[in-house]
Every structure is written in structure tokens, then in C-alpha cells.
Amino acid sequence: HVLPMDISQEQVFERVGKKVVSNALDGFNSTVFAYGQTGSGKTYTLTGGAERYEDRGIIPRALTMIFQEFRERSDMKWTAHVSYMEIYNEQGYDLLDPSHDTKNVTDLPRVKMLEDEHGNFHLKNLSMHRTNSEEEALNLLFLGDTNRAISETAMNQASSRS
């Protein structure tokens, strides 16, 4: 999707995120991938703004929808796990790595994508954190955002573009 500049976060979720989350809850692999140059709004679109609740992005809205569906679909048993990976220079890094004691994203364990004999893809070195509530999942999102920001600051200090 290419969306207009003046679109609200709610409209973005309605157009892009809602169907993806619904498909995932129905058992289909689903992905939202934000791509663009630095400063184009990828992070804002995915995670949202910090000042106003209505500015929350696709991920917090998706978490709300997921845990709401868990409550409404009481005929099924659910478990939820959260992972948070950043792709930097074509390499994946785990932003929720439990041993995160670094100032640079490239010091984190590299996440590798592997394909098994059945054509299924797996991410090696990506931690998974079980969550029992929307609040727990949002706390992990905030932790990943914090780790990303700390690493981003270190990367910008070393960047020739800064």
C-alpha cells in the first residue's frame, strides 16, 4: 500500500493492519513490512507517537486486536509470544535479547533465516517471550523500542551521515 501523508494512524491500521491480524488469527502467516529511506515515517507508522493514545501505530493496535480476539474466541486455547527484530544493513538483530548489555545494535546476536526440508522458514537466534496479556506484550514492545533507540544513538554517532 502507498498511503497519503495526511492519513491517521487509525486509518492506516484499518487499511493495512486489521486484515493482516485477522488472517494471522485464522492461522495464516502474515507480515507487515515497512520499507523506506531514513526519516520517512516507518517507525512512527509501526509503533506510533508517544504523546497521544490516538497516535499509536500498527503494532500496539494489532496487540489490542489480538488480545481482544483471545477474549472473544473463548472456545480456543491461545498462547502468545513476542519477538522484536530489527533489520540493519540487511542483517537481523534481536532487540529483546536477554543478554542485551550493548550500546550498538551490531553487537547483538545476529538473527539468521533458515529454511527446513518442508519449505518452512525459521529465525535462528531470535528470542521468544511468552506474554499473557496486552500489557505484557506492550511492555516488551517498549523494551525493544528502548533497546533500538539506545543502539540507534550509538550508530548515529558513528555514522558519516549524522
Side-chain angles (χ1 to χ4, degrees):
H1 296 275
V2 177
L3 303 173
M5 295 284 292
D6 61 347
I7 194 167
S8 72
Q9 291 283 61
E10 182 177 3
Q11 291 170 315
V12 171
F13 185 73
E14 289 295 321
R15 284 198 194 169
V16 177
K18 198 171 194 175
K19 184 72 172 165
V20 172
V21 173
S22 182
N23 285 340
L25 289 167
D26 288 336
F28 296 97
N29 289 330
S30 302
T31 302
V32 173
F33 189 85
Y35 179 82
Q37 66 187 105
T38 301
S40 62
K42 300 176 299 294
T43 300
Y44 179 77
T45 300
L46 290 176
T47 60
E51 287 81 38
R52 300 181 319 164
Y53 182 75
E54 66 216 44
D55 290 338
R56 67 198 187 285
I58 290 173
I59 296 170
R61 290 171 189 272
L63 291 171
T64 298
M65 183 177 170
I66 289 166
F67 283 96
Q68 180 179 336
E69 287 289 318
F70 284 2
R71 289 187 296 275
E72 291 175 7
R73 295 184 186 188
S74 58
D75 59 319
M76 303 179 101
K77 182 172 172 29
W78 301 93
T79 57
H81 292 83
V82 172
S83 298
Y84 198 161
M85 180 178 78
E86 177 170 10
I87 300 172
Y88 177 78
N89 283 341
E90 300 181 19
Q91 181 61 56
Y93 299 96
D94 184 357
L95 293 175
L96 295 177
D97 177 59
S99 64
H100 183 78
D101 189 25
T102 180
K103 296 283 190 245
N104 195 324
V105 71
T106 56
D107 293 335
L108 291 169
R110 291 184 178 199
V111 177
K112 295 182 175 32
M113 186 166 61
L114 306 171
E115 184 177 5
D116 67 21
E117 64 276 2
H118 304 292
N120 299 310
F121 290 93
H122 305 273
L123 297 172
K124 183 179 179 185
N125 293 333
L126 183 63
S127 61
M128 289 179 37
H129 304 266
R130 186 172 178 163
T131 59
N132 295 309
S133 68
E134 180 181 350
E135 182 180 0
E136 286 179 12
L138 287 170
N139 285 336
L140 287 167
L141 173 63
F142 297 142
L143 175 63
D145 284 344
T146 300
N147 290 341
R148 183 176 179 273
I150 290 168
S151 299
E152 200 171 70
T153 300
M155 294 303 290
N156 287 343
Q157 289 172 350
S159 173
S160 61
R161 296 177 295 142
S162 298

